[in-house]
Amino acid sequence: MTAPVSHRLAVNLLGSVFEVDTDDAATLADVRRLWQPFLEAAADPSGAAAVAVRLDEASAPQRLQHFATAVNAAALDAAPHFAVHAGVVAYDGVAVAMPAVSGTGKSTMTAACLRRGFRYVSDEALCLSYDDGAVLPYPRPIALSPWSVDAVGASDRGIPAVDEFLFTAEDLGSERQAEPARLGNLVILDRREGAAPALSPEARPNGVTLLLQLSFNHYRRPEDAVRLAADVIAGAVVWRLEYSDPLEAADLLWTSFVGERPQP
Amino acid sequence: MPELVGPPVVGLTVVEVDGCFHIFNPATKRAVALNETASQIWRLSTGEHDVDDIVAALAEHYGLGHDDIEKQVRATIDELCAEGLYAEAATR
């Protein structure tokens, strides 16, 4: 009888380093694939002490869910940036942020945007540098419910977690935004059953309020957070997106922000 | 003695976007978002104007009668005061 072999892997999320510890090689391979952008960062010596995350749940989906939830919450709380609950995509170095609380469709809209040509920044957090307001990529795995997988026509490459599937940007036919971007558009999601997609201007002060209300960590640097939220919104356009179908809505965002698609 | 409004308490972080203020009060650790009307009231809350001055300014701006907006102006000032945004002894 042989003792289980422990497999370890380090990831660096927004400056927090986590060391995965599991006996299951397949789980480690899934973590390696889904958190690949963060492996590169972990390889760059940051001096941060690693937090061990032991994955010993009974099933692979449970292990992945545990890891995704644990490291996301810890990383965002400790992030040295102003982090806001939002889906974020980009085009030509310009970020589109869709701030929203969990369960309101931001991951689905993010995935739909990737299916329609945008690059991936994050399905979870708009991370703004306190230094210059740049949007910093946080390309964690995109978590989609079975309904969302169907709604955006996602491939079958998603890896099962608990009640959802995890995808990379490449799984959805896109790629991640590797460089910092500039916040150009903030889109307030307004999903209504049966509504045709419509994009209308929204008062910018409402965007400032939303960023502050949905921030993970503004309490760490509240004065700076208020100033930063106002600064980035002053340089952006705030919209309200009424929609029902995520892919139709993503098409509207693309044609509104990027331009007409070339005809095949 | 007129009811002078303000001045703001020292130490607030005040930002303005499109004429509307967001104010963070470190004493309460709360951020307050002001709409356009409240922002106009805040702009006049320097400790040099009384409530009637502010009501008159807003009535002129919106083309409304003094009595139409006095109640709203007083309620807004009360809210700003309750948020601890005015220097304590100044608004009376």
Side-chain angles (χ1 to χ4, degrees), chain A residues 121-144:
Chain A
V121 178
S122 182
D123 79 332
E124 175 71 357
L126 169 67
C127 292
L128 294 163
S129 165
Y130 277 112
D131 294 333
D132 58 6
V135 176
L136 305 171
Y138 177 53
R140 72 161 204 167
I142 303 152
L144 299 178

Side-chain angles (χ1 to χ4, degrees), chain A residues 227-246:
Chain A
R227 286 195 192 94
L228 181 59
D231 283 349
V232 295
I233 290 297
V237 183
V238 180
W239 306 90
R240 176 171 296 276
L241 174 63
E242 192 176 302
Y243 73 105
S244 176
D245 183 279

Side-chain angles (χ1 to χ4, degrees), chain A residues 204-205 208-209 212 222-223 226-227 230, chain B residues 13 15 17-18 20 22 24 26 31 33:
Chain A
R204 289 197 297 182
V208 179
T209 303
L212 294 170
E223 290 92 346
V226 171
R227 286 195 192 94
Chain B
T13 297
V15 297
V17 173
D18 296 345
C20 292
H22 284 74
F24 175 73

Side-chain angles (χ1 to χ4, degrees), chain A residues 19-220:
Chain A
E19 191 172 64
V20 187
D21 178 10
T22 177
D23 299 334
D24 181 49
T27 295
L28 201 75
D30 287 342
V31 170
R32 185 186 299 279
R33 186 169 108 71
L34 290 167
W35 277 269
Q36 192 273 336
F38 305 101
L39 302 178
E40 295 168 5
D44 183 16
S46 64
V51 175
V53 182
R54 174 71 187 163
L55 304 179
D56 51 11
E57 287 77 6
S59 72
Q62 288 173 325
R63 289 190 286 273
L64 276 183
Q65 189 75 50
H66 172 190
F67 184 70
T69 304
V71 300
N72 180 63
L76 287 172
D77 185 60
H81 320 296
F82 178 47
V84 178
H85 216 159
V88 190
V89 296
Y91 61 95
D92 298 336
V94 178
V96 179
M98 298 171 280
V101 296
S102 294
T104 51
K106 66 181 166 49
S107 289
T108 308
M109 265 309 300
T110 300
C113 287
L114 301 189
R115 301 286 289 156
R116 289 299 188 252
F118 288 95
R119 288 186 172 195
Y120 183 50
V121 178
S122 182
D123 79 332
E124 175 71 357
L126 169 67
C127 292
L128 294 163
S129 165
Y130 277 112
D131 294 333
D132 58 6
V135 176
L136 305 171
Y138 177 53
R140 72 161 204 167
I142 303 152
L144 299 178
S145 69
W147 181 90
S148 297
V149 169
D150 287 342
V152 304
S155 71
D156 57 3
R157 298 195 65 196
I159 296 177
V162 177
D163 298 329
E164 59 189 14
F165 294 86
L166 303 178
F167 293 85
T168 66
E170 290 75 16
D171 294 336
L172 297 171
S174 179
E175 56 188 278
R176 64 187 166 91
Q177 172 74 24
E179 302 299 322
R182 174 183 70 78
L183 182 63
N185 296 283
L186 185 138
V187 177
I188 299 170
L189 300 178
D190 185 3
R191 187 164 190 275
R192 300 179 185 208
E193 201 58 45
L199 195 62
S200 55
E202 179 84 10
R204 289 197 297 182
N206 293 345
V208 179
T209 303
L210 204 55
L211 291 185
L212 294 170
Q213 285 177 337
L214 296 180
S215 169
F216 290 99
N217 60 359
H218 63 288
Y219 64 91
R220 291 186 180 275

